[in-house]
């Protein structure tokens, strides 16, 4: 059999909102506290307490909805999702079911081949996080830490419109950047602030009906999402090509073995006995509140990227790369400022090629860059005003990576100033011409290519410091036509 298969992926992303207190209680939300030191009576599900909605979390959900062009429900409802688990003391999770706060909207992203894809968002709803079971520090039993219980989550559900692991990762990166731009989450994946469940199915390419999906739970890095999905695609195709059927189930990705494993048969919505939470009033959102929140929307990645093209004359590709994260975009703009706005395109090149290249090698993030925008901008200023050549700039850049000194001090101390004094350059050129009579003769008899040789010799004699434009000009003059 020679069927070609199409992959179908829908993602559910849980984003922890950065509120100071929990979704329904006043307990603190900071990461890494002593177990159970940030869990109050409400988070513990003790009798006689009532949840109170955190308004900041609600506003963050609305802000997200507005940023993706979704509709904000004038009335939405919290529902109880009932199940037992040791990290869920109430026996139910407060979530939203039939009436989520955010519906519709879409997310666009650019793929490696520069094509753009738009994925529709089904919904985004507010819910509380569960606690954590700790297995490692205990022998023969598990500990329960309820610090995370009740931390606000925004669950963002996509339509099953993604068609490959690469698309899924591009979608996730775009979503991750967006929530950071909106400042509604720190997006820290190691700490679980941005977690993804990937629903994956395959179907014969000509078929319109969706195949049976498996849901891979809680994958917490972009790299693992890609691997987990690719493993799952192959597993399912393998089953189908061998005449089997895929069963709907929840699976776990094991990064060490690079495989997914069955966790449990997929539960159906009615297993959870959802019903509206009688302890909480419906959320009513007024048009005025939406208006107010709309005003707080920052410049979004796409808008920023378009502005970079317009104002700095960057290509769409460069603008896209530089706005991939807010931190990188800010770094670039600060560099442009520090270079006195002289050469935005040159700044873009230095940030994207030299700086990101160096950071990549040392596994550092842009926020950990040993070169500040001020120092990089300073370097570009000196290229622009011709104090140094581009070549010398590369040498100085290497020094900036490991030394604290600023550009002007390095130039001064090491005598790297570009030679722009015409008499000095002429002297060097005369010397080179005198030393190479054969080449001069060859050049004059028509070997034009030798011009580069002379430029090279003069630059070498000046230890790279002669201004290349002047060298070219004077050489042309001295060597004659
Ligand atoms: P739940 O997983 O809670 O039962 P849904 O049925 O709403 O919820 O689906 C959740 C996610 O699964 C959505 O992102 C949706 O796009 C995706 N999905 C649904 N059916 C499929 C399928 N056959 N293949 C891949 N993804 C799917
Ligand atoms: Mg699900």
């Amino acid at each position: 059999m020679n069927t070609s298969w199409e992959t179908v992926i829908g993602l559910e992303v849980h984003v922890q909102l950065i509120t100071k207190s929990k979704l329904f209680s006043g307990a603190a939300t900071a990461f890494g506290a002593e177990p159970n030191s940030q869990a109050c009576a409400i988070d513990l599900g003790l009798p006689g307490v009532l949840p109170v909605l955190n308004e900041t979390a609600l506003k963050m959900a609305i802000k997200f909805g507005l940023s993706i062009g979704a509709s904000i429900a004038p009335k939405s409802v919290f529902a109880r999702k009932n199940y037992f688990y040791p990290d869920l003391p109430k026996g139910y999770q407060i979530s939203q079911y039939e009436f989520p706060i955010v519906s519709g909207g879409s997310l666009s992203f650019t793929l490696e081949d520069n094509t753009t894809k738009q994925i529709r968002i089904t919904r985004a709803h507010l819910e509380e996080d569960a606690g954590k079971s700790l297995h490692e520090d205990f022998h023969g039993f598990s500990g329960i830490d309820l610090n995370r219980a009740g931390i606000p989550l925004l669950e963002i559900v996509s339509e099953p419109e993604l068609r490959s692991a690469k698309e899924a990762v591009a979608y996730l990166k775009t979503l991750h950047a967006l929530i950071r731009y909106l400042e509604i989450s720190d997006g820290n994946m190691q700490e679980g602030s941005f977690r993804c469940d990937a629903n994956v199915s395959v179907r014969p390419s000509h078929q319109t009906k969706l195949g049976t999906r498996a849901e891979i739970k809680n994958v917490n890095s972009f790299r693992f999402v890609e691997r987990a999905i690719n493993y799952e695609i192959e597993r399912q195709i393998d089953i189908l090509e061998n005449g089997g059927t895929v069963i709907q189930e929840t699976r776990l990705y094991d990064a060490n073995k690079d495989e997914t494993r069955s966790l449990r048969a997929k539960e159906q919505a009615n297993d959870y006995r959802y019903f509206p939470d009688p302890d909480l009033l419906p959320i009513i959102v007024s048009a005025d509140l939406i208006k107010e929140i709309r005003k707080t929307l920052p410049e979004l990645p796409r808008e920023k990227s378009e502005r970079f093209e317009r104002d700095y004359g960057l290509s769409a590709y460069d603008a896209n790369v530089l706005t991939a994260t807010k931190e990188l975009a800010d770094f670039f703009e600060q560099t442009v400022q520090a270079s006195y706005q002289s050469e935005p395109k040159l700044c873009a090149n230095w940030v994207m090629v030299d700086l990101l290249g160096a950071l990549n090698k040392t596994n550092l993030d842009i926020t950990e860059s040993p070169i500040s925008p001020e120092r990089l901008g300073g370097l570009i200023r000196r290229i622009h005003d011709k104090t140094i050549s581009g070549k010398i700039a590369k040498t100085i850049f290497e020094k900036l990576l490991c030394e604290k000194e600023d550009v002007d001090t390095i130039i001064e101390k090491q005598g790297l100033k570009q030679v722009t004094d015409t008499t000095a350059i002429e002297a060097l050129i005369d010397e080179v011409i005198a030393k190479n009579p054969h080449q001069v003769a060859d050049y004059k008899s028509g070997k034009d290519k030798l011009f580069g040789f002379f430029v090279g010799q003069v630059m070498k004699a000046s230890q790279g410091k002669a201004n290349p434009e002047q060298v070219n000009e004077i050489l042309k003059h001295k060597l004659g036509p």
Side-chain angles (χ1 to χ4, degrees), residues 342-366:
S342 52
E343 307 249 9
K345 271 192 191 164
L346 194 58
C347 290
N349 267 336
W350 277 90
V351 170
M352 285 176 12
V353 181
D354 301 86
L355 185 64
L356 290 186
L359 294 177
N360 223 343
K361 267 190 219 145
T362 42
N363 242 326
L364 291 176
D365 186 80
I366 187 74

CSV table of all heavy atoms in Angstrom, one decimal, residues 342-366:
chain,number,residue,atom,x,y,z
A,342,SER,N,22.5,56.4,13.2
A,342,SER,CA,23.2,56.6,11.9
A,342,SER,C,23.0,55.5,10.9
A,342,SER,O,22.9,55.8,9.7
A,342,SER,CB,24.7,56.8,12.2
A,342,SER,OG,25.1,55.7,13.0
A,343,GLU,N,23.1,54.3,11.4
A,343,GLU,CA,23.0,53.2,10.4
A,343,GLU,C,22.2,52.0,10.9
A,343,GLU,O,22.7,51.0,11.3
A,343,GLU,CB,24.5,52.6,10.2
A,343,GLU,CG,25.5,53.7,9.9
A,343,GLU,CD,26.0,53.5,8.5
A,343,GLU,OE1,25.4,52.7,7.7
A,343,GLU,OE2,27.0,54.2,8.2
A,344,PRO,N,20.8,52.2,10.8
A,344,PRO,CA,20.0,51.1,11.3
A,344,PRO,C,20.2,49.8,10.7
A,344,PRO,O,20.2,48.7,11.3
A,344,PRO,CB,18.6,51.6,11.0
A,344,PRO,CG,18.7,53.0,10.6
A,344,PRO,CD,20.1,53.3,10.3
A,345,LYS,N,20.5,49.8,9.4
A,345,LYS,CA,20.7,48.5,8.7
A,345,LYS,C,22.0,47.8,9.2
A,345,LYS,O,22.0,46.6,9.3
A,345,LYS,CB,20.8,48.7,7.2
A,345,LYS,CG,19.5,48.7,6.5
A,345,LYS,CD,19.7,48.6,5.0
A,345,LYS,CE,18.4,48.8,4.2
A,345,LYS,NZ,18.7,49.1,2.8
A,346,LEU,N,23.0,48.6,9.4
A,346,LEU,CA,24.3,48.1,9.9
A,346,LEU,C,24.0,47.6,11.3
A,346,LEU,O,24.5,46.5,11.7
A,346,LEU,CB,25.3,49.2,9.9
A,346,LEU,CG,26.8,48.8,10.1
A,346,LEU,CD1,27.2,47.8,9.0
A,346,LEU,CD2,27.7,50.1,10.1
A,347,CYS,N,23.2,48.3,12.1
A,347,CYS,CA,22.9,47.8,13.5
A,347,CYS,C,22.2,46.5,13.4
A,347,CYS,O,22.5,45.5,14.1
A,347,CYS,CB,22.0,48.8,14.2
A,347,CYS,SG,22.8,50.4,14.6
A,348,ALA,N,21.3,46.3,12.4
A,348,ALA,CA,20.5,45.1,12.3
A,348,ALA,C,21.5,43.9,12.0
A,348,ALA,O,21.4,42.9,12.6
A,348,ALA,CB,19.5,45.2,11.2
A,349,ASN,N,22.4,44.2,11.1
A,349,ASN,CA,23.4,43.2,10.8
A,349,ASN,C,24.3,42.8,11.9
A,349,ASN,O,24.5,41.6,12.2
A,349,ASN,CB,24.4,43.7,9.7
A,349,ASN,CG,23.8,43.3,8.3
A,349,ASN,OD1,23.1,42.3,8.2
A,349,ASN,ND2,24.2,44.1,7.3
A,350,TRP,N,24.8,43.8,12.7
A,350,TRP,CA,25.6,43.4,13.8
A,350,TRP,C,24.9,42.7,14.9
A,350,TRP,O,25.4,41.7,15.5
A,350,TRP,CB,26.2,44.7,14.4
A,350,TRP,CG,27.5,45.2,13.6
A,350,TRP,CD1,27.5,46.0,12.6
A,350,TRP,CD2,28.8,44.7,13.9
A,350,TRP,NE1,28.8,46.1,12.1
A,350,TRP,CE2,29.6,45.4,12.9
A,350,TRP,CE3,29.4,43.9,14.8
A,350,TRP,CZ2,31.0,45.2,12.9
A,350,TRP,CZ3,30.8,43.7,14.8
A,350,TRP,CH2,31.6,44.4,13.8
A,351,VAL,N,23.6,43.1,15.1
A,351,VAL,CA,22.8,42.4,16.1
A,351,VAL,C,22.5,40.9,15.7
A,351,VAL,O,22.8,40.0,16.4
A,351,VAL,CB,21.5,43.1,16.4
A,351,VAL,CG1,20.6,42.2,17.3
A,351,VAL,CG2,21.8,44.4,17.1
A,352,MET,N,22.1,40.8,14.4
A,352,MET,CA,21.6,39.5,13.9
A,352,MET,C,22.8,38.5,13.7
A,352,MET,O,22.7,37.3,14.0
A,352,MET,CB,20.8,39.6,12.7
A,352,MET,CG,19.4,40.2,13.0
A,352,MET,SD,18.4,40.5,11.6
A,352,MET,CE,19.2,39.7,10.2
A,353,VAL,N,23.8,39.0,13.0
A,353,VAL,CA,24.9,38.1,12.6
A,353,VAL,C,25.9,38.0,13.7
A,353,VAL,O,26.2,36.9,14.2
A,353,VAL,CB,25.5,38.6,11.3
A,353,VAL,CG1,26.6,37.7,10.8
A,353,VAL,CG2,24.5,38.8,10.2
A,354,ASP,N,26.6,39.1,14.0
A,354,ASP,CA,27.7,39.0,15.0
A,354,ASP,C,27.2,38.7,16.4
A,354,ASP,O,27.7,37.8,17.0
A,354,ASP,CB,28.5,40.3,14.9
A,354,ASP,CG,29.0,40.6,13.5
A,354,ASP,OD1,28.2,41.2,12.7
A,354,ASP,OD2,30.1,40.2,13.2
A,355,LEU,N,26.3,39.5,16.9
A,355,LEU,CA,25.9,39.3,18.3
A,355,LEU,C,25.2,38.0,18.5
A,355,LEU,O,25.6,37.2,19.4
A,355,LEU,CB,25.1,40.5,18.8
A,355,LEU,CG,24.8,40.4,20.3
A,355,LEU,CD1,26.1,40.5,21.1
A,355,LEU,CD2,23.8,41.5,20.7
A,356,LEU,N,24.1,37.8,17.7
A,356,LEU,CA,23.4,36.5,17.9
A,356,LEU,C,24.3,35.3,17.7
A,356,LEU,O,24.2,34.3,18.4
A,356,LEU,CB,22.1,36.5,17.1
A,356,LEU,CG,21.0,37.4,17.5
A,356,LEU,CD1,19.8,37.2,16.6
A,356,LEU,CD2,20.6,37.3,18.9
A,357,GLY,N,25.2,35.4,16.7
A,357,GLY,CA,26.1,34.3,16.5
A,357,GLY,C,27.0,34.1,17.7
A,357,GLY,O,27.1,32.9,18.1
A,358,ALA,N,27.5,35.1,18.3
A,358,ALA,CA,28.4,34.9,19.5
A,358,ALA,C,27.6,34.4,20.7
A,358,ALA,O,28.0,33.6,21.4
A,358,ALA,CB,29.0,36.3,19.8
A,359,LEU,N,26.4,34.9,20.8
A,359,LEU,CA,25.5,34.4,22.0
A,359,LEU,C,25.2,33.0,21.8
A,359,LEU,O,25.2,32.2,22.8
A,359,LEU,CB,24.3,35.3,22.1
A,359,LEU,CG,24.4,36.8,22.5
A,359,LEU,CD1,23.1,37.5,22.4
A,359,LEU,CD2,25.1,36.9,23.8
A,360,ASN,N,24.9,32.6,20.6
A,360,ASN,CA,24.6,31.2,20.3
A,360,ASN,C,25.7,30.3,20.7
A,360,ASN,O,25.4,29.2,21.3
A,360,ASN,CB,24.3,31.1,18.8
A,360,ASN,CG,23.1,30.3,18.5
A,360,ASN,OD1,22.7,29.5,19.3
A,360,ASN,ND2,22.6,30.4,17.3
A,361,LYS,N,26.9,30.7,20.3
A,361,LYS,CA,28.1,29.9,20.6
A,361,LYS,C,28.2,29.6,22.1
A,361,LYS,O,28.6,28.6,22.6
A,361,LYS,CB,29.3,30.5,20.1
A,361,LYS,CG,29.7,30.1,18.7
A,361,LYS,CD,31.1,30.6,18.4
A,361,LYS,CE,31.1,31.0,16.9
A,361,LYS,NZ,32.0,32.2,16.7
A,362,THR,N,27.9,30.7,22.9
A,362,THR,CA,28.1,30.5,24.4
A,362,THR,C,26.8,30.2,25.1
A,362,THR,O,26.7,30.2,26.3
A,362,THR,CB,28.6,31.8,24.9
A,362,THR,OG1,28.0,33.0,24.3
A,362,THR,CG2,30.1,32.0,24.6
A,363,ASN,N,25.7,29.9,24.3
A,363,ASN,CA,24.4,29.6,24.8
A,363,ASN,C,23.8,30.6,25.7
A,363,ASN,O,23.2,30.3,26.8
A,363,ASN,CB,24.6,28.3,25.6
A,363,ASN,CG,23.7,27.2,25.0
A,363,ASN,OD1,22.6,27.5,24.5
A,363,ASN,ND2,24.2,26.0,25.1
A,364,LEU,N,24.0,31.9,25.3
A,364,LEU,CA,23.4,33.0,26.1
A,364,LEU,C,22.2,33.5,25.5
A,364,LEU,O,22.1,33.5,24.2
A,364,LEU,CB,24.5,34.1,26.4
A,364,LEU,CG,25.7,33.7,27.2
A,364,LEU,CD1,26.6,34.9,27.3
A,364,LEU,CD2,25.2,33.4,28.7
A,365,ASP,N,21.3,34.1,26.3
A,365,ASP,CA,20.2,34.8,25.8
A,365,ASP,C,20.5,36.2,25.5
A,365,ASP,O,21.5,36.7,26.1
A,365,ASP,CB,19.1,34.6,26.9
A,365,ASP,CG,17.8,35.1,26.5
A,365,ASP,OD1,17.1,34.4,25.8
A,365,ASP,OD2,17.4,36.3,26.9
A,366,ILE,N,19.7,36.9,24.7
A,366,ILE,CA,20.0,38.3,24.5
A,366,ILE,C,20.0,39.2,25.7
A,366,ILE,O,20.8,40.1,25.9
A,366,ILE,CB,19.0,38.9,23.4
A,366,ILE,CG1,19.4,40.3,23.0
A,366,ILE,CG2,17.6,39.0,24.0
A,366,ILE,CD1,20.5,40.4,22.1
